[in-house]
Amino acid sequence: MGILREKLKASLLLITLLFTGNVFAGDVAGNVIRVKGTVSIAEAPLATGDVVREGDTIITAPGSGAQFQMKDGAIIALAADSSLTISSYNFNEANGEDDGVVLTLDKGSIRTITGDSEKENYMLETPTAQVRIQGTVFDVQSSDNSIIILREGAVLVTSLCEGAASSNSQLIDVPGTATTVTPCEEPS
């Protein structure tokens, strides 16, 4: 009887692991608060109320978009025809401590209003630029070049050269100011 019981427990555990979704997914980073059109993670559609996690790559189709409320209170708006990876979102809601936020915008446009994470620990990367947040509201558009528009606060923009940060940086601290970043060149 004991062997049968152990086999039953093992079978139930296996069934639970198979049918509870991705149990090995990253930590929860935030929630979807608005979806327009087709928005997905790994080809699975997203809906309002769904959870987004560290490691997720969110893709919006043409004519689509989404907004997310992150666990530190930040708001992220992802525009149509975009791809955003939540590389890391380390914020402890219980004590307010954070080890950093890294978002990777592979293509498209994003607007972010930062939350309670320490601003110096908040970074957005594109194929051509690294944006270190020192303020609160900014827009980024990524294609062959990256365009960063400061709305409020300040950002430090660094050009990437072959995937690594170059010595070409620009502090933007005047709202309404924009800069264009081309790989290996100083932001202008």
Side-chain angles (χ1 to χ4, degrees):
M1 190 76 159
I3 294 174
L4 183 58
R5 182 174 288 157
E6 292 304 315
K7 285 184 178 182
L8 182 59
K9 282 183 185 178
S11 296
L12 288 173
L13 177 61
L14 181 59
I15 289 169
T16 301
L17 289 173
L18 289 173
F19 290 101
T20 56
N22 187 358
V23 296
F24 300 107
D27 290 340
V28 171
N31 294 291
V32 180
I33 57 174
R34 183 173 181 268
V35 171
K36 175 188 170 199
T38 304
V39 181
S40 61
I41 294 174
E43 299 182 17
L46 279 178
T48 300
D50 284 349
V51 169
V52 292
R53 299 176 178 279
E54 287 185 334
D56 284 349
T57 297
I58 304 159
I59 298 172
T60 57
S64 301
Q67 291 181 350
F68 308 91
Q69 171 123 38
M70 307 311 283
K71 64 184 178 180
D72 68 341
I75 301 291
I76 295 173
L78 190 60
D81 201 24
S82 296
S83 176
L84 175 72
T85 300
I86 304 170
S87 302
S88 67
Y89 217 99
N90 298 313
F91 180 79
N92 185 327
E93 296 165 279
N95 62 19
E97 292 181 6
D98 72 272
D99 292 328
V101 172
V102 179
L103 303 173
T104 305
L105 183 66
D106 296 311
K107 72 171 190 165
S109 299
I110 186 174
R111 172 174 281 182
T112 183
I113 302 171
T114 58
D116 293 333
S117 289
E118 294 294 326
K119 305 304 182 245
E120 62 270 9
N121 292 339
Y122 198 106
M123 182 170 52
L124 176 76
E125 295 180 329
T126 72
T128 61
Q130 184 181 78
V131 182
R132 291 207 172 263
I133 288 62
Q134 298 176 343
T136 56
V137 183
F138 63 97
D139 301 336
V140 176
Q141 180 180 358
S142 176
S143 58
D144 293 338
N145 298 321
S146 295
I147 300 170
I148 295 91
I149 304 168
L150 180 67
R151 302 292 180 190
E152 188 177 302
V155 292
L156 180 64
V157 179
T158 302
S159 174
L160 295 181
C161 191
E162 298 178 11
S166 70
S167 60
N168 299 318
S169 295
Q170 178 184 9
L171 176 66
I172 303 173
D173 57 3
V174 177
T177 302
T179 189
T180 300
V181 183
T182 303
C184 304
E185 296 181 14
E186 186 170 334
S188 58

